[in-house]
Amino acid sequence: MNFATLFDINYLSRGLCLIDSLTRVLKQNYQLFILALDEETANYFYNQNNPQLVVISLPEIEKKYPDLLIAKNNRNKVEYYFTLSPVLPFYILETFPDCARITTLDADVYFFSDPSVILTHFQKDDILITPHDFSSNLLFLENYGRYNVSFQSFPNTADAKILLQDWMKKCLTWCKDVLDPVTGYFADQKYLDRWKIDFKNVCDVDLKTAGRAPWNINETPLNLKQGKLLVNGQPLIYYHFHHLRIYDHFIAHGINLYGPAKVNREVRKLYRTYILNLKKNSKLIKTVSDNQVIRYNSPTQPSSLLSTMWQRELGAIYILQTVIFFNLTYIKRVYRYLLKKKNGLFS
């Protein structure tokens, strides 16, 4: 199987988690193409000498498609990274003709079981895209796109290349990290809404065992049996740890950003598995914080762990190689009530 991802040095620990998970769950050999978005990331993998990893430097891609350099100068860094979403798979299919199919992944995807199960549900020439599958309280977010650009799969066919060229052309023209009020476009993902209309052999990955993320975990029938995470009795394939941030000992899991968070034992198992792996890889590359991550991040953090917990209300802490989840929402509600009562704001 052939996979591809892209990330910079700030997401290196997540990229290593992705590699760890693929190595653990795949019974067959795989190849992972990594578009290294900076020199530090490229050098890290050049020094690893892992035959399963193919490192592509950003200058290689930019030399092949010089229009990227124009786009690079009219958008911010994260928007430029979005612009590369269609470029990477197209580059691989053009440059490596023996690659029969390339599956692109976000770096913060983590596999819990073999992803080849996904491909067996579809025909060999099908182009696969992943619906957000929003929880019922979040359907309004479809304005930003019905599909999430975290798991796509492209066969090496003329149909797939036509689609990728069209997507690449559109992203080069416009790929902003805002919802355009005129066109309705958003970043790289809103374009996917028309793929099933405009192109051939495009299929939804409509498996409840795949595409799980903070925006649908509250309505995912996740169960824990003999230490394994199951959805409707089938092994969970992967989870997208979007919005997860680690600040030294404090962990913002981000589930609460999509409505009331249901952090039950299954969700705790899910996040604990990833956080421990992330901490291990962060220690390996000597990073301790996500303060440099460029999207969905807090520019400053409270000075102490306790003040961070009180301010954030919901999350987890990492102490003595243990992940402990907490929810201070009810406690803060009682505290505010008692404070108002003390100050005589109501009898």
Side-chain angles (χ1 to χ4, degrees), residues 3-7 32-38 41-42 45-46 53-62 87-89 91-92 95-96:
F3 301 93
T5 189
L6 55 84
F7 50 86
L32 177 66
F33 294 86
I34 299 171
L35 174 53
L37 297 174
D38 50 37
T41 304
F45 287 107
Y46 289 149
L53 307 180
V54 179
V55 182
I56 303 167
S57 71
L58 187 55
E60 288 178 65
I61 292 274
E62 292 171 340
V87 180
L88 177 57
Y91 173 84
I92 292 168
T95 309
F96 300 88

Side-chain angles (χ1 to χ4, degrees), residues 15-24 30 32 34 45 53:
L16 294 177
C17 285
L18 171 61
I19 295 167
D20 287 347
S21 70
L22 283 170
T23 302
R24 182 174 51 82
Y30 72 89
L32 177 66
I34 299 171
F45 287 107
L53 307 180

Side-chain angles (χ1 to χ4, degrees), residues 7-13 16 34-48 55-59 77 81 285 287 292:
F7 50 86
D8 63 13
I9 193 66
N10 297 308
Y11 251 47
L12 176 57
S13 57
L16 294 177
I34 299 171
L35 174 53
L37 297 174
D38 50 37
E39 191 174 343
E40 299 97 319
T41 304
N43 288 338
Y44 177 86
F45 287 107
Y46 289 149
N47 292 328
Q48 297 305 303
V55 182
I56 303 167
S57 71
L58 187 55
K77 184 180 283 190
Y81 290 175
I285 60 176
T287 62
Q292 301 305 312

Side-chain angles (χ1 to χ4, degrees), residues 245-259:
R245 295 290 180 267
I246 294 181
Y247 306 106
D248 299 325
H249 292 286
F250 174 74
I251 300 154
H253 51 61
I255 307 172
N256 51 304
L257 299 175
Y258 295 92

Side-chain angles (χ1 to χ4, degrees), residues 114-169:
D114 191 342
S116 62
V117 173
I118 298 173
L119 301 183
T120 60
H121 280 74
F122 301 94
Q123 302 298 314
K124 68 181 182 68
D125 289 342
D126 287 340
I127 299 162
L128 308 182
I129 51 177
T130 303
H132 274 105
D133 191 26
F134 289 117
S135 295
S136 54
N137 65 310
L138 298 173
L139 294 179
F140 68 94
L141 290 177
E142 287 191 351
N143 288 333
Y144 293 85
R146 290 188 56 239
Y147 298 94
N148 181 250
V149 183
S150 59
F151 184 108
Q152 298 77 230
S153 193
F154 305 99
N156 202 339
T157 62
D159 287 339
K161 289 178 181 177
I162 289 169
L163 180 152
L164 285 169
Q165 279 183 304
D166 181 82
W167 188 22
M168 186 163 65
K169 181 180 178 181

Side-chain angles (χ1 to χ4, degrees), residues 108-110 112 130-135 148 150-151 205-222 230-232 235-242 270-271:
D108 51 0
V109 161
Y110 188 86
F112 290 85
T130 303
H132 274 105
D133 191 26
F134 289 117
S135 295
N148 181 250
S150 59
F151 184 108
V205 178
D206 55 0
L207 305 172
K208 290 291 184 182
T209 49
R212 299 304 93 192
W215 46 80
N216 58 37
I217 192 61
N218 278 347
E219 293 184 4
T220 296
L222 189 66
L230 307 174
V231 182
N232 293 326
L236 173 69
I237 299 173
Y238 74 86
Y239 189 83
H240 183 189
F241 287 91
H242 186 71
L270 180 73
Y271 274 79

Side-chain angles (χ1 to χ4, degrees), residues 225-294:
K225 187 174 182 180
Q226 296 179 342
K228 294 185 177 181
L229 290 162
L230 307 174
V231 182
N232 293 326
Q234 299 299 315
L236 173 69
I237 299 173
Y238 74 86
Y239 189 83
H240 183 189
F241 287 91
H242 186 71
H243 264 305
L244 175 71
R245 295 290 180 267
I246 294 181
Y247 306 106
D248 299 325
H249 292 286
F250 174 74
I251 300 154
H253 51 61
I255 307 172
N256 51 304
L257 299 175
Y258 295 92
K262 187 170 66 176
V263 188
N264 53 26
R265 70 173 188 138
E266 289 83 6
V267 173
R268 291 196 297 272
K269 168 71 173 179
L270 180 73
Y271 274 79
R272 186 175 284 117
T273 299
Y274 186 69
I275 290 165
L276 290 175
N277 194 274
L278 193 56
K279 277 288 187 179
K280 179 198 74 174
N281 284 309
S282 295
K283 184 177 181 181
L284 180 68
I285 60 176
K286 298 181 174 59
T287 62
V288 295
S289 176
D290 280 341
N291 284 319
Q292 301 305 312
V293 173
I294 58 177

